[in-house]
């Protein structure tokens, strides 16, 4: 019996790794093949998850779900139009200016390296920056070529993005109206013991995770914008929004956003870069230690190592979209199995009612 049990364990763990690797590879291939529709459906589902909160508030006020969805959709579209008319053109203009400035900043940083090397030679210090300066020259040439080629397709990219945004909003509208019926049909494909734990874990992780990340990112954007303006940071609004958007990627997003901004500012003014680093890290600590625990809590309950692993696997499978959904997916899997082990499906609180369609 012991030999049989040990043999089964050996087969389970021995075959588990290759099967997981094969599934990851298969998912990455499927995503690359159906990348655009999967991306649109995913963002529409995320938007529907987020808009379900205000829809529920209207339903509590004795408003029918259809009317509540229409009201929320009209308000959302109004906000999108206001942002598109006021903020988007400003961001596009600042982005174009930044891309035009980067070659000049790289050239200035190259001059600084040359001066540093001359200073080191005067002090007889063994520093040779010729390799670094040659790499900077190559980077400048590649950047200029990419800017020249990318500017040609900018209008097409903006048009494609606008069409995709319209599709996302329309799909989110239909998901809010009829998503429960579709979800009920899909969830019935799972074994009965998985249905309720999986549904509640998915709701808890996706709704709470993305709502919390959006609020944290908005906090960083709103707080850093006036700070950058006071410090006279170039492209203050663009840099603050970049850091805010990076907050959507958990665990490593904030470091990537802050690091990118600090490096860009460093190319122009090292002392200003130090001030930017201090200000952003200080606000990041306030967010992480005061706001994030209240918003996020421990509803995911994942070890930081597994968070990092899930982000890497998500990026390998689906790129940026994979990094955004990797943590809530991992939290959903963990939450489902935790509930199944405990045998108490009431550990989760559902915010979206799944009901059977009785019209048929």
């Amino acid at each position: 019996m012991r030999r049989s049990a040990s043999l089964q364990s050996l087969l389970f763990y021995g075959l588990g790794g290759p099967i997981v690797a094969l599934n990851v590879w298969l998912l990455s291939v499927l995503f690359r093949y159906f990348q655009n529709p999967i991306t649109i459906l995913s963002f529409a589902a995320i938007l529907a998850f987020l808009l379900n909160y205000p829809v529920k508030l209207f339903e509590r006020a004795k408003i029918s779900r259809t009317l509540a969805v229409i009201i929320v959709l009209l308000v959302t579209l109004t906000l999108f139009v206001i942002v598109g008319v006021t903020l988007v053109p400003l961001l596009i203009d600042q982005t174009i200016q930044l891309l035009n400035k980067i070659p000049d900043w790289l050239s200035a940083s190259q001059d600084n390296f040359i001066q540093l090397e001359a200073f080191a030679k005067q002090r007889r210090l063994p520093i040779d920056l010729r390799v670094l300066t040659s790499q900077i020259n190559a980077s400048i040439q590649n950047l200029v070529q990419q800017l020249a080629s990318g500017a040609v397709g900018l209008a097409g990219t903006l048009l494609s993005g606008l069409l995709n945004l319209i599709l996302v909003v329309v799909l989110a509208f239909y998901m809010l109206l009829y998503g429960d019926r579709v979800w009920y049909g899909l969830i019935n494909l799972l074994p009965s013991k998985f249905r309720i734990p999986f549904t509640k874990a998915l709701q808890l992780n996706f709704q709470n995770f993305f709502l919390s990340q959006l609020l944290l990112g908005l906090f960083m954007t709103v707080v850093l914008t006036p700070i950058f303006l006071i410090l006279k940071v170039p492209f203050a609004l663009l840099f603050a929004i970049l850091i805010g958007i990076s907050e959507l990627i958990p665990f490593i997003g904030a470091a990537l956003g802050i690091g990118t901004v600090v490096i860009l500012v460093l190319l122009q003014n090292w002392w200003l870069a130090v001030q930017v680093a201090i200000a952003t890290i200080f606000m990041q600590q306030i967010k992480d230690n005061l706001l994030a625990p209240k918003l996020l809590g421990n509803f995911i309950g994942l070890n930081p190592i597994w968070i990092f692993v899930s982000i890497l696997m998500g990026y390998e499978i689906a790129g940026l979209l994979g990094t955004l959904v990797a943590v809530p997916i991992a939290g959903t899997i963990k939450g489902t199995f935790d509930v199944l082990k405990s045998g108490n499906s009431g550990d989760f609180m559902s915010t979206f009612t799944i009901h059977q369609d009785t019209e048929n």
Side-chain angles (χ1 to χ4, degrees):
M1 292 293 294
R2 291 182 178 178
R3 290 183 179 180
S4 177
S6 61
L7 182 59
Q8 290 180 356
S9 299
L10 182 62
L11 289 174
F12 176 79
Y13 290 109
L15 296 176
I19 291 174
V20 170
L22 180 62
N23 287 331
V24 170
W25 173 81
L26 181 60
L27 286 174
S28 63
V29 171
L30 289 175
F31 179 81
R32 291 187 183 98
Y33 192 77
F34 300 102
Q35 181 174 359
N36 194 54
I38 291 176
T39 302
I40 292 174
L41 285 171
S42 299
F43 280 110
I46 293 171
L47 181 61
F49 267 119
L50 296 175
L51 294 182
N52 190 55
Y53 275 109
V55 169
K56 283 292 183 181
L57 293 177
F58 281 110
E59 284 186 306
R60 291 173 185 172
K62 307 301 181 182
I63 297 177
S64 66
R65 183 170 182 85
T66 301
L67 182 58
V69 170
I70 293 174
I71 294 173
V72 171
L73 181 66
L74 290 177
V75 173
T76 303
L77 288 176
T78 303
L79 293 176
F80 279 161
V81 170
I82 293 174
V83 171
V85 172
T86 59
L87 191 60
V88 171
L90 180 60
L91 291 177
I92 293 175
D93 182 62
Q94 288 198 3
T95 302
I96 293 174
Q97 292 183 30
L98 174 62
L99 294 177
N100 291 330
K101 287 284 186 181
I102 287 178
D104 296 333
W105 290 356
L106 288 173
S107 298
S109 65
Q110 181 186 8
D111 295 336
N112 293 333
F113 284 132
I114 294 174
Q115 294 177 5
L116 179 61
E117 186 175 5
F119 177 81
K121 288 182 178 179
Q122 291 177 0
R123 301 296 187 277
R124 296 181 179 181
L125 297 175
I127 298 178
D128 187 3
L129 300 177
R130 286 175 294 180
V131 176
L132 185 58
T133 54
S134 63
Q135 291 179 350
I136 291 177
N137 281 329
S139 299
I140 293 174
Q141 293 176 358
N142 291 332
L143 183 60
V144 171
Q145 293 174 357
Q146 291 176 3
L147 292 178
S149 60
V152 177
L154 180 61
T157 302
L158 291 176
L159 180 60
S160 176
L162 179 61
L163 292 176
N164 288 337
L165 178 61
I166 294 173
L167 285 174
V168 166
V169 174
V170 171
L171 279 173
F173 171 73
Y174 282 105
M175 286 180 179
L176 285 170
L177 284 178
Y178 309 112
D180 56 346
R181 300 176 185 178
V182 176
W183 178 254
Y184 185 81
L186 292 175
I187 205 69
N188 274 342
L189 299 177
L190 295 176
S192 57
K193 65 178 182 180
F194 281 96
R195 294 172 189 170
I196 294 178
F198 178 76
T199 300
K200 293 183 177 181
L202 186 71
Q203 295 160 4
L204 182 65
N205 282 277
F206 269 82
Q207 284 183 318
N208 290 5
F209 177 81
F210 281 107
L211 182 62
S212 301
Q213 293 299 112
L214 284 174
L215 291 176
L216 294 175
L218 182 63
F219 167 79
M220 292 295 289
T221 301
V222 171
V223 171
L224 290 178
T225 299
I227 293 176
F228 286 173
L229 291 174
I230 293 173
L231 295 176
K232 297 182 179 180
V233 178
F235 312 107
L237 179 61
L238 178 63
F239 286 161
I241 292 179
L242 176 62
I243 293 176
I245 292 176
S246 68
E247 293 288 338
L248 296 177
I249 303 176
F251 197 65
I252 60 174
L256 292 176
I258 293 173
T260 301
V261 170
V262 170
I263 290 173
L264 289 174
V265 178
L266 181 63
L267 294 176
Q268 186 189 21
N269 187 324
W270 70 269
W271 174 238
L272 182 59
V274 172
Q275 298 178 65
V276 168
I278 293 173
T280 52
I281 292 174
F282 178 74
M283 299 310 303
Q284 180 73 17
Q285 291 303 310
I286 292 178
K287 177 189 73 70
D288 288 341
N289 295 297
L290 296 180
L291 296 179
K294 294 181 180 180
L295 290 175
L296 292 171
N298 58 352
F299 69 93
I300 291 179
L302 289 174
N303 187 291
I305 296 177
W306 291 117
I307 292 177
F308 190 73
V309 170
S310 65
I311 291 174
L312 290 178
M313 292 182 65
Y315 178 78
E316 182 65 27
I317 294 172
L320 179 60
L321 177 63
T323 61
L324 294 177
V325 301
V327 173
I329 288 177
T332 299
I333 296 172
K334 180 181 183 299
T336 301
F337 283 101
D338 285 347
V339 172
L340 291 175
K341 287 181 180 179
S342 65
N344 182 15
S345 61
D347 290 343
F348 293 102
M349 293 187 63
S350 176
T351 56
F352 189 75
T353 304
I354 305 297
H355 58 82
Q356 187 172 4
D357 184 12
T358 58
E359 294 180 2
N360 296 327

